[in-house]
């Protein structure tokens, strides 16, 4: 029986993972994240394995390669795009193998996949002229549509291999800078204008709806554009709680009022100098919910727990410990949030 996809009460990773072995990574993630595992990204493998590089394997009818400064739009598929596709297939093979070994075939599960979002992609990739894609509205639209179609195909492949439902996460760390117009030009003559929120929302929606799936948007930067995210069709919003300020509180409350689920980044991406208990890690979320005036049961009905961001730089030991800590915090939220 197919279940409705929900993050509430779940634990998951943001996406990236340390090391270069996809089989080891898949085995660990499945073991630690039984309900909502994710297809890991291993950027330590180099070109084609980082967040932008993976888009080389997902985009439809758009080709990327590398220049001396960034990934760049090219006319023909090159070695970097081929490498990105090979790495993605290796990751899928590893997850499929671990899935079968764990006896999950035919079970009613959800797997999360990640992709760079269209606005961050447009901010980071160069046109053939060397300018950011973001400076060309037509190119931005093309990228948004291509990425959405690519994620629809990718999700279908995951479902075919694993027999599972798919949640699609879009990573948008550059979103606040895109809206604020604080991105620098690639040259002294290039100016990157701020993108108005309605236009940015339209770009996001082209990709979200084009993917055809249940989606979430993750932004671990400060100045979270909560109102834009509230108006999006995304089921959930992921964020780093440590980045929130008093000015963000109303927006977070409006996200919850609108029925959005929040994936709260509560566990640091590096081992803290002073060991933290699960109560220490849970406290910011409990304080947030209390300050907003929501019942503590919201921690069970609308909140998932994640690390603050990706764990690629965490090291093998802390990455596993971080997921275990997330599970402990989530268990407390689900068992008896009123007692926290």
């Amino acid at each position: 029986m197919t279940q409705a996809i929900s993050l509430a009460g779940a634990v998951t990773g943001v996406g990236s993972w340390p090391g270069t072995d996809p089989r080891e990574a898949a085995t660990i993630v499945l073991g630690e994240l039984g309900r909502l595992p994710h297809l890991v990204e291993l950027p330590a493998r180099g070109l084609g394995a980082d967040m932008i590089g993976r888009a080389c394997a997902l985009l439809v009818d758009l080709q990327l390669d590398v220049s001396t400064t960034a990934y760049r739009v090219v006319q023909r598929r090159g070695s970097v795009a081929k490498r990105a596709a090979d790495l993605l297939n290796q990751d899928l093979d590893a997850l499929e193998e671990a899935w079968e070994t764990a006896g999950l075939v035919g079970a009613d599960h959800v797997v999360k996949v990640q992709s760079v979002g269209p606005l961050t992609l447009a901010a980071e990739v160069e046109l053939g002229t060397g300018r950011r894609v973001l400076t060309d509205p037509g190119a931005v639209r093309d990228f948004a549509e291509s990425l959405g179609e690519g994620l629809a195909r990718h999700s279908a492949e995951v479902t075919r291999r694993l027999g599972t439902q798919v949640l699609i996460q879009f990573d948008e760390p550059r979103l606040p800078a895109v809206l604020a117009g604080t991105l620098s030009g690639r040259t002294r003559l290039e100016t990157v204008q701020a993108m108005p929120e309605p236009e940015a929302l339209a770009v996001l929606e082209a990709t979200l709806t084009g993917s055809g799936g249940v989606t979430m948007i993750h932004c671990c930067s400060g100045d979270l554009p909560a109102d834009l995210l509230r108006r999006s069709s995304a089921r959930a919003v992921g964020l780093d709680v440590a980045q929130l300020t008093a000015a963000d509180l109303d927006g977070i409350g409006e996200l919850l009022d609108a029925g959005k689920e929040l994936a709260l980044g509560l566990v640091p991406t590096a081992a803290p100098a002073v060991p933290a208990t699960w109560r220490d890690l849970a406290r910011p979320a409990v304080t947030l919910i209390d300050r907003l005036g929501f019942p503590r049961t919201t921690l069970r009905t609308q909140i998932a727990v994640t690390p603050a961001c990706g764990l690629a730089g965490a090291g093998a030991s802390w990455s596993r410990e971080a997921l275990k800590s997330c599970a402990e915090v989530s268990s407390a939220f689900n068992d008896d949030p009123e007692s926290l």
Side-chain angles (χ1 to χ4, degrees):
M1 180 181 296
T2 300
Q3 62 180 357
I5 295 178
S6 173
L7 280 82
V11 180
T12 193
V14 172
S16 67
W17 192 259
T20 59
D21 187 341
R23 283 179 167 77
E24 179 184 37
T27 300
I28 293 171
V29 166
L30 280 188
E32 300 295 342
L33 302 175
R35 176 181 160 191
L36 189 57
H38 60 101
L39 179 67
V40 295
E41 301 165 359
L42 301 172
R45 293 179 295 185
L47 286 175
D50 58 285
M51 182 172 67
I52 304 300
R54 174 143 288 185
C56 297
L58 296 173
L59 291 168
V60 176
D61 297 330
L62 284 174
Q63 305 298 334
L64 301 182
D65 210 319
V66 289
S67 70
T68 56
T69 54
Y71 285 93
R72 177 173 288 190
V73 181
V74 293
Q75 293 299 314
R76 295 180 180 84
R77 190 168 186 257
S79 60
V80 172
K82 293 175 183 177
R83 172 174 166 77
D86 288 343
L87 291 172
L88 178 56
N89 281 327
Q90 289 174 23
D91 294 344
L92 288 170
D93 289 344
L95 181 59
E96 183 177 13
E97 180 181 306
W99 196 263
E100 292 175 353
T101 300
L104 296 175
V105 176
D108 193 13
H109 286 275
V110 177
V111 166
K112 181 167 71 66
V113 300
Q114 302 81 221
S115 168
V116 62
L119 293 167
T120 295
L121 183 63
E124 294 296 328
V125 172
E126 295 177 347
L127 296 165
T129 59
R131 298 165 57 214
R132 294 182 192 266
V133 169
L134 195 66
T135 63
D136 183 332
V140 173
R141 287 192 297 273
D142 290 343
F143 266 73
E145 292 170 1
S146 173
L147 186 61
E149 183 178 348
L151 264 295
R153 295 182 182 184
H154 180 45
S155 298
E157 174 70 4
V158 173
T159 295
R160 184 189 68 78
R161 285 172 175 252
L162 306 182
T164 183
Q165 298 182 88
V166 176
L167 171 68
I168 305 171
Q169 173 185 307
F170 291 96
D171 292 313
E172 284 285 9
R174 289 295 202 180
L175 178 55
V178 169
L179 296 173
T182 55
L183 293 168
S184 62
R186 296 293 191 191
T187 69
R188 287 180 296 174
L189 300 178
E190 180 186 358
T191 300
V192 184
Q193 300 289 341
M195 182 178 289
E197 279 203 8
E199 184 178 337
L201 180 59
V203 172
L204 277 172
E205 284 302 304
T207 303
L208 295 176
T209 57
S211 73
V214 178
T215 59
M216 68 175 286
I217 299 172
H218 181 262
C219 180
C220 57
S221 305
D223 298 320
L224 186 77
D227 186 60
L228 182 152
L229 298 175
R230 177 184 58 80
R231 289 181 285 127
S232 78
S233 60
R235 170 73 56 80
V237 172
L239 56 100
D240 177 359
V241 172
Q243 296 286 344
L244 296 178
T245 67
D248 297 313
L249 294 182
D250 286 346
I252 298 298
E254 289 170 359
L255 284 169
L256 290 170
D257 270 333
K260 299 290 188 186
E261 296 173 344
L262 300 183
L264 298 183
L266 294 170
V267 176
T269 56
V274 178
T277 68
W278 68 263
R279 286 188 181 275
D280 297 328
L281 298 171
R283 188 171 297 115
V286 176
T287 301
L288 175 66
I289 293 301
D290 287 349
R291 288 187 66 180
L292 294 174
F294 287 89
R296 291 272 183 93
T297 52
T298 304
L299 294 166
R300 180 169 57 225
T301 60
Q302 284 181 259
I303 302 299
V305 179
T306 74
C309 204
L311 293 170
S317 177
W318 179 249
S319 58
R320 295 188 71 157
E321 190 63 34
L323 294 189
K324 291 180 186 294
S325 295
C326 286
E328 291 175 351
V329 172
S330 180
S331 179
F333 289 172
N334 286 313
D335 290 346
D336 190 7
E338 296 290 354
S339 68
L340 298 175

